[in-house]
Amino acid sequence: MNYWLFKSEPNCFSIDDLAKKPEQITPWDGVRNYQARNFMRSMNIGDLGFFYHSSCAIPGIVGIIKVVKQSYPEEADPRWEHVDVQLVETFPNIITLEKLRAIPKLHNMVILRKGNRLSITPLTEQEWETIHASANH
């Protein structure tokens, strides 16, 4: 299994929007970066991801999603692809960017690197477990 971080601006598409979708499933579309597209191409059904709200007052991880359909071309422009994701869990409290930065085990996490703007990034198993443990489970 692989682990991912999916970023979305909540004013465009939030975890609450996903929760309202039929069966809580939606295509993760609109990605216009080749590296992020290639990450989607490597995803497998069952891979897990954190849903991260970005470009908002309090950015951070708000829940967990899973890949339920492998990558396939977008109809409007087939060079771009998307995967279908399903909501697994919404966290009772956001894991803020500030909190992520304060966890020493996460210092190499891609999202914490200066200048990173990718909407999808891979996570190591250790990063996944560290973040999941801090989600008040």
Side-chain angles (χ1 to χ4, degrees):
M1 176 180 304
N2 297 308
Y3 301 100
W4 307 94
L5 185 120
F6 291 78
K7 286 171 44 178
S8 180
E9 297 176 10
N11 63 336
C12 294
F13 189 79
S14 71
I15 199 163
D16 293 332
D17 295 326
L18 177 56
K20 294 174 188 169
K21 294 286 185 182
E23 299 181 53
Q24 300 179 322
I25 295 174
T26 195
W28 195 270
D29 56 9
V31 173
R32 296 295 182 262
N33 175 283
Y34 288 105
Q35 188 174 7
R37 180 207 60 189
N38 292 342
F39 286 145
M40 284 195 291
R41 285 181 172 173
S42 68
M43 291 178 184
N44 297 304
I45 293 172
D47 281 1
L48 294 173
F50 288 121
F51 195 122
Y52 182 95
H53 282 172
S54 66
S55 300
C56 56
I58 303 174
I61 296 171
V62 294
I64 297 174
I65 56 179
K66 71 177 173 180
V67 176
V68 294
K69 183 175 181 180
Q70 288 183 271
S71 71
Y72 57 101
E74 289 189 10
E75 286 185 28
D77 188 346
R79 76 181 150 151
W80 301 112
E81 298 187 16
H82 49 280
V83 295
D84 287 0
V85 297
Q86 183 174 35
L87 181 62
V88 173
E89 176 183 1
T90 300
F91 294 154
N93 300 303
I94 186 171
I95 304 171
T96 66
L97 178 59
E98 184 179 319
K99 183 173 182 178
L100 294 171
R101 289 189 191 284
I103 301 171
K105 287 183 180 179
L106 300 179
H107 74 276
N108 285 327
M109 199 166 111
V110 175
I111 194 172
L112 301 180
R113 294 181 190 157
K114 190 169 183 78
N116 175 65
R117 299 196 39 85
L118 288 174
S119 59
I120 297 173
T121 55
L123 297 171
T124 66
E125 187 172 354
Q126 179 189 14
E127 290 167 343
W128 176 270
E129 290 174 358
T130 300
I131 294 166
H132 196 257
S134 70
N136 300 323
H137 284 87

